[in-house]
Each structure stands twice: as C-alpha cells, then as structure tokens.
C-alpha cells in the first residue's frame, strides 16, 4: 500500500450520530479516517507510504480546546442535545481542525511515513445533499458555477506523487503549501487529541 487518501466527509447529514454513537461530523470526517489509518499503520509503515487527508479551510474558524478532550467520552465526540444549522457547521469546522492535527501527529509519530492535509477548494459535489434551509438555498445558487470534483481532486493527486521535503505534515491548497496562521496549531492539543482518539479506537475495534 503506497498511497492512502482519506476523502470521506459529511456536512449536515440526516443523522446525528454514527453506529458507535459518536457525533456524525467528527465521527465520519475525523474519527473514521483516524481509525482506518490506524488499522493500516503496520502496512503503511512497511511500505513507507504517503497518507493524504482531505480537510477544509473551515478548520481556520474552529478551535479545539482541552475542554473538548475531557471526560470518559470526550466532549468533541458527543452527539449534540439538539441540531441546528450553526451547530452543524461548528462540528464540521471542528472535524476539519482535527484532520489537520491528525496528519501532523501521524508523521511525527511515524517518521517512515509522509503525509499532508489538503483543501480541495469549493467544488460541485454532493456534500450538501441532505442540507435544508439556508445551506440548501446557497447550494442551489452556487452549484451551477462551481468546478467539478475532478478539479477538487487535483491537489490530492499532486500531493500523492510530489516530493514533499520540509512540507511533510503540512496543509496544501491549489497544489501549493498553504502556510498556517501563526498560533493556529497547539502542539499540546495535537498530542492530546491523538491520545484520546486512540483510546476511543481501542474501545470500538472489532473482536
């Protein structure tokens, strides 16, 4: 296995939680990618593989704090008491910040691997297929003028094959390294998120 591209994602899905009772955005967009990569780690390391995780610029308006990572089931993974349009987007943003942290910590812990996170840009996909209200209206307005998924895939394909060098662990946009704003990444939170996520993976792994 030479290349793994984690590309699954949801926004405003018609269900609140995953089968394991984790909040749907964080469970699918982040935890699912983490768990799959974890199961494949030995094979990936043996192959000195490249791991690409598709994220979003939405990570810039999210902030994972120590409060999100406390408790038996950390608050980040809790299903909401009720759902609303702003809450869905907040969880979506948090899941994308978690993806950024994930790839950075992955290549730190496994130096045999290379990997980056990728922002595919605004493209016409089915990501908002279950949206209602304002998001549905916005989708109807902009979908006809947005480029297709083939354009969105360009940066992932570039990063899967390019020499990364010092950009390893970085975040890419438009086939170029996108510099993260100063102070955006907290290495303590990054490590803590990895540890609590690994603990959750141990709980849900098949017998």
């Amino acid at each position: 296995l030479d290349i793994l591209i984690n590309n699954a994602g949801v926004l405003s899905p018609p269900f609140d939680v995953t089968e394991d009772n984790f909040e749907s955005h964080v469970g699918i967009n982040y935890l699912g990618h983490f768990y799959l990569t974890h199961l494949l780690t030995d094979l990936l390391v043996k192959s000195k593989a490249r791991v690409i995780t598709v994220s979003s610029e939405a990570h810039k308006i999210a902030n994972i704090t120590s409060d999100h990572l406390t408790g038996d089931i950390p608050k980040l993974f809790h299903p909401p008491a009720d759902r609303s349009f702003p809450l869905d987007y907040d969880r979506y943003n948090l899941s994308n910040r978690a993806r950024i942290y994930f790839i950075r910590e992955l290549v730190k812990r496994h130096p045999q691997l290379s990997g980056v996170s990728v922002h595919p840009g605004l493209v016409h996909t089915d990501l908002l297929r279950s949206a209602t209200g304002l998001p549905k209206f916005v989708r109807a307005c902009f979908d006809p003028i947005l480029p297709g998924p083939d354009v969105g895939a360009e940066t992932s394909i570039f990063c899967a094959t390019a020499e990364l060098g010092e950009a390893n662990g970085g975040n890419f946009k438009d086939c170029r390294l996108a510099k993260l704003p100063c102070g955006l990444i907290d290495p303590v939170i990054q490590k803590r998120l990895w540890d609590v996520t690994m603990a959750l993976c141990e709980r849900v792994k098949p017998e």
Side-chain angles (χ1 to χ4, degrees), residues 2-193:
D2 297 308
I3 301 168
L4 172 64
I5 300 180
N6 293 311
N7 189 50
V10 295
L11 175 53
S12 294
F15 49 88
D16 294 342
V17 297
T18 67
E19 290 184 2
D20 294 301
N21 208 39
F22 298 119
E23 194 280 325
S24 54
H25 295 89
V26 177
I28 294 170
N29 297 352
Y30 165 63
L31 183 57
H33 291 181
F34 186 105
Y35 189 41
L36 174 62
T37 307
H38 169 60
L39 293 177
L40 295 172
T41 294
D42 290 345
L43 183 58
L44 292 166
V45 168
K46 182 179 179 180
S47 305
K48 298 182 179 179
R50 175 77 51 86
V51 180
I52 311 297
T53 293
V54 178
S55 183
S56 165
E57 290 279 84
H59 80 88
K60 291 182 178 179
I61 53 176
N63 185 29
I64 298 175
T65 67
S66 57
D67 185 55
H68 285 111
L69 304 177
T70 58
D72 186 44
I73 300 294
K75 191 177 296 184
L76 179 66
F77 301 90
H78 281 183
D82 58 80
R83 285 190 57 179
S84 64
F85 159 61
L87 179 59
D88 268 4
Y89 273 76
D90 180 58
R91 293 303 184 105
Y92 176 75
N93 299 341
L94 287 168
S95 71
N96 281 292
R97 175 62 70 85
R99 286 164 154 173
I100 299 290
Y101 279 138
F102 159 59
I103 203 71
R104 291 171 63 89
E105 190 69 13
L106 176 71
V107 299
K108 179 181 178 181
R109 292 181 181 239
H110 300 286
Q112 308 93 328
L113 301 179
S114 60
V116 296
S117 54
V118 166
H119 172 53
L122 294 175
V123 294
H124 173 55
T125 69
D126 285 334
L127 182 66
L128 281 168
R129 62 186 176 275
S130 302
T132 59
L134 180 59
K136 183 178 181 180
F137 173 75
V138 171
R139 179 190 183 195
C141 291
F142 285 96
D143 267 2
I145 62 173
L146 292 176
D150 54 333
V151 175
E154 287 178 355
T155 303
S156 293
I157 295 170
F158 171 82
C159 289
T161 56
E163 290 292 333
L164 294 180
E166 293 184 0
N168 192 30
N171 180 244
F172 275 72
K173 176 184 177 182
D174 297 328
C175 298
R176 291 188 292 271
L177 181 64
K179 187 175 180 180
L180 297 175
C182 182
L184 193 72
I185 299 299
D186 184 332
V188 175
I189 293 296
Q190 177 177 301
K191 179 181 182 301
R192 177 64 179 156
L193 176 63

Side-chain angles (χ1 to χ4, degrees), residues 192-207:
R192 177 64 179 156
L193 176 63
W194 178 283
D195 291 340
V196 300
T197 307
M198 187 63 74
L200 291 177
C201 288
E202 290 299 315
R203 291 188 182 194
V204 300
K205 69 179 181 180
E207 297 296 335

